[in-house]
Amino acid sequence: MGLFDNAVPGGNITKPLMIALGALLVGKMLSGRSEEQPAAPQAPAPTPAGASADGGLLGGLGGLLDKLRDAGHGNVADSWVGTGQNQPINANDLGSVLGPQVIREIAQRTGLDEQELLQQLSTALPGIVDKLTPNGQIPQHHQVASAFNS
């Protein structure tokens, strides 16, 4: 996957996890014919409540970080964006931030069980956000989309 090769512990980002990350951060379902091929954008699914036309289900990367801050996890979110050590987030805490509707939507897109989805996202998000913000700056939406398409 290039940019994200070492973003996740073990270096393995599965296709369902890429779809979930794409739904959160880019707003498009991502798929590839196999896990070895780059992901390509597809037509977005119907926009659920809380979605942003120019971002993912929570308004893209910036929207996700804002939700984390609003829920009292600002120090965790800031550690992912900053240049220091990434702090972990508990799967249940992430689930509370995302909300049941978003979790259900992503689980349906990926085919993953909701608990498995949250476990994988809580493991992957710190490294993915860190990779997307190498200088401690939140990239523009098109830059995030480009990173997922490369």
Side-chain angles (χ1 to χ4, degrees):
M1 185 76 227
L3 175 67
F4 302 127
D5 283 346
N6 61 353
V8 176
N12 185 18
I13 299 180
T14 63
K15 182 178 173 183
L17 183 55
M18 283 304 296
I19 292 169
L21 290 165
L24 271 178
L25 303 176
V26 183
K28 292 183 168 60
M29 287 182 53
L30 303 173
S31 70
R33 290 205 174 105
S34 72
E35 291 181 20
E36 293 79 35
Q37 293 180 333
Q42 292 181 339
T47 304
S52 169
D54 64 349
L57 291 177
L58 299 174
L61 178 57
L64 173 64
L65 294 171
D66 288 344
K67 287 282 271 191
L68 286 162
R69 289 181 186 110
D70 291 346
H73 301 286
N75 58 335
V76 172
D78 292 342
S79 78
W80 301 350
V81 174
T83 56
Q85 183 72 27
N86 294 330
Q87 294 181 24
I89 188 162
N90 178 287
N92 291 330
D93 290 341
L94 183 60
S96 295
V97 169
L98 298 178
Q101 183 175 353
V102 170
I103 295 165
R104 194 169 27 257
E105 170 84 16
I106 297 172
Q108 288 173 347
R109 290 183 187 196
T110 63
L112 292 172
D113 168 83
E114 290 180 14
Q115 273 309 115
E116 178 65 19
L117 170 71
L118 285 173
Q119 191 61 47
Q120 288 190 31
L121 282 174
S122 67
T123 301
L125 272 174
I128 296 295
V129 172
D130 186 59
K131 291 289 184 184
L132 290 170
T133 58
N135 302 315
Q137 299 293 317
I138 298 172
Q140 298 294 316
H141 174 72
H142 72 276
Q143 293 168 308
V144 175
S146 174
F148 276 87
N149 292 331
S150 61

